[in-house]
Amino acid sequence: MLSGKRILLIVGGGIAAFKSLDLARRLRERGASVTPVLTRAGAEFVTPLSLSALCGQKVYRDLFDLTDEAEMGHIELSRAADLVVVAPATADLMAKMAGGHADDLASTLLMATDKRVLIAPAMNVRMWDHPATQRNLATLQGDGILTVGPNEGDMACGEYGPGRMAEPLEIVEAIGAALNDGPLRGKRIIVTSGPTHEPIDPVRYIANRSSGAQGTAIARALSALGAEVVFVTGPADIPPPEGVEIVRVQTAQQMLEAVMAAHPADGAVFAAAVADWRVDGEATQKIKKTGTGLPTLKFLENPDILATVSQQGEGRPALVVGFAAETEKVVEHATAKRDRKGCDWIVANDVSPATGIMGGAENAVTIIDEGGAESWPRMSKDDVARKIAARIAGALV
Ligand code: C5P
């Protein structure tokens, strides 16, 4: 997927630098060449020897290394790449970038480059939350710098929160998306994700427990294969993917409108957990306890977005994929759902409590298409997303 791509990898000084060794390996496995630059602080965490061994190239370290200048000047080094990746991007490196400093090799390359730059920030939670870092982040994003992560989790410093560097495979995906390269290049795909919120009155709503994890992972995986993704999301727990067009909605009706407005598209993946019903006659003021009995809610059926798009005739995306969360007779029910909705594939899973799939990090799915049912082993939701994206690429290309 990254065959022939040239990545300039700047490794900053943080404990996450060890993950950049794995990142280099994975990029090379995918056919990319990786030219490493190690900052002075980075060399406190990984050795130049291990970085150069994994990249298969010499490590550039010093701005004033005259041999390097004779072989390849820093300007050339910064431009002889398709993408510059900074991983880990420390608070200090981000500050230098935002301020336009150029006092060492890494910062000078970042100032001199004419290529896109992707940073994978990694730092202590408080450093990440610090107004200075957030200000620098906003400046960098305003400058068109791409970001991946940081993720939330346990940190090497013993604290918990956002600050962990994105995992190597997430960075690989972000690189693929930044290079807009891959078999889905030129294809536009709509992805719905998350729950919908159906209002009862201005302060109350009906919702479901969808986290948006699977839809987000699919959008990211499609984008990594080069697709132009329109991500229509209800109010989800997790942040939306980077590098895709994001349309935020609350209700099923708004989601349908956003999906129709995103046409024409080559493909559509409906991973949202859309509420089946909405409240008839949403109250314009907060409903009060009157002491004279309980309020009664009347419901109306929401539009079925998957069925509407699948059955629209002209303008229908070439491939429409729906999901089916079942608790029993998974293949039988999902096959019937595919027929009823008129979509091309159904991604079915067993969400009965014993599986731990609902809200968990793993999924075990069966894909139902016109040829029958294909069951995949249990794997992470990210891996399911990658496999679905690869299957979509096979069908659309
Ligand atoms: O009918 P059911 O909700 O089980 O179907 C699930 C599939 O249909 C999912 O792909 C979901 O995103 C989609 N759906 C929809 N609009 C609805 C209900 C479900 O797009 N109103």
Side-chain angles (χ1 to χ4, degrees), residues 192 270-276 302-306 322-324 337 340-341:
T192 70
F270 293 98
V274 184
D276 289 320
N302 266 332
D304 189 317
I305 305 166
L306 172 61
F323 279 71
K337 188 166 291 182
R340 203 165 57 240
K341 305 248 189 185

Side-chain angles (χ1 to χ4, degrees), residues 307-361:
T308 307
V309 170
S310 297
Q311 297 167 24
Q312 69 184 308
E314 205 178 323
R316 180 192 193 277
L319 182 70
V320 181
V321 181
F323 279 71
E326 306 288 348
T327 53
E328 56 164 359
K329 298 186 187 152
V330 175
V331 172
E332 191 183 320
H333 287 167
T335 305
K337 188 166 291 182
R338 178 179 173 273
D339 293 342
R340 203 165 57 240
K341 305 248 189 185
C343 58
D344 301 294
W345 303 350
I346 282 275
V347 180
N349 56 4
D350 183 349
V351 292
S352 47
T355 63
I357 282 172
M358 200 84 169

Side-chain angles (χ1 to χ4, degrees), residues 79-263:
R79 298 187 183 167
D82 298 303
L83 185 73
V84 180
V85 177
V86 187
T90 59
D92 182 58
L93 254 175
M94 286 176 64
K96 277 185 169 172
M97 289 173 75
H101 293 232
D103 60 357
D104 63 4
L105 181 59
S107 53
T108 306
L109 292 172
L110 286 160
M111 281 289 281
T113 189
D114 59 353
K115 298 296 170 2
R116 298 189 86 185
V117 177
L118 171 75
I119 63 171
M123 66 198 72
N124 167 273
V125 184
R126 286 185 195 280
M127 291 174 76
W128 174 251
D129 284 338
H130 196 285
T133 304
Q134 291 302 312
R135 209 162 47 231
N136 291 334
L137 176 69
T139 302
L140 294 174
Q141 288 177 333
D143 289 347
I145 304 285
L146 304 167
T147 59
V148 52
N151 294 342
E152 193 167 314
D154 286 321
M155 316 257 321
C157 52
E159 291 184 46
Y160 182 91
R164 278 171 68 96
M165 188 169 88
E167 295 305 316
L169 281 181
E170 290 174 74
I171 302 176
V172 169
E173 286 186 351
I175 290 172
L179 291 168
N180 191 20
D181 188 44
L184 286 171
R185 186 179 190 148
K187 303 285 180 201
R188 182 174 164 90
I189 303 183
I190 303 166
V191 178
T192 70
S193 182
T196 63
H197 283 183
E198 308 295 334
I200 298 170
D201 66 19
V203 298
R204 304 182 178 96
Y205 57 84
I206 294 169
N208 59 64
R209 293 186 197 282
S210 168
S211 65
Q214 190 65 84
T216 301
I218 290 171
R220 195 180 286 128
L222 289 167
S223 164
L225 294 186
E228 176 194 346
V229 174
V230 185
F231 185 67
V232 182
T233 178
D237 294 344
I238 58 166
E242 274 135 20
V244 308
E245 184 184 333
I246 296 161
V247 186
R248 293 176 202 273
V249 298
Q250 297 281 328
T251 67
Q253 284 177 304
Q254 290 167 358
M255 189 173 272
L256 175 64
E257 274 170 35
V259 164
M260 297 319 288
H263 279 58

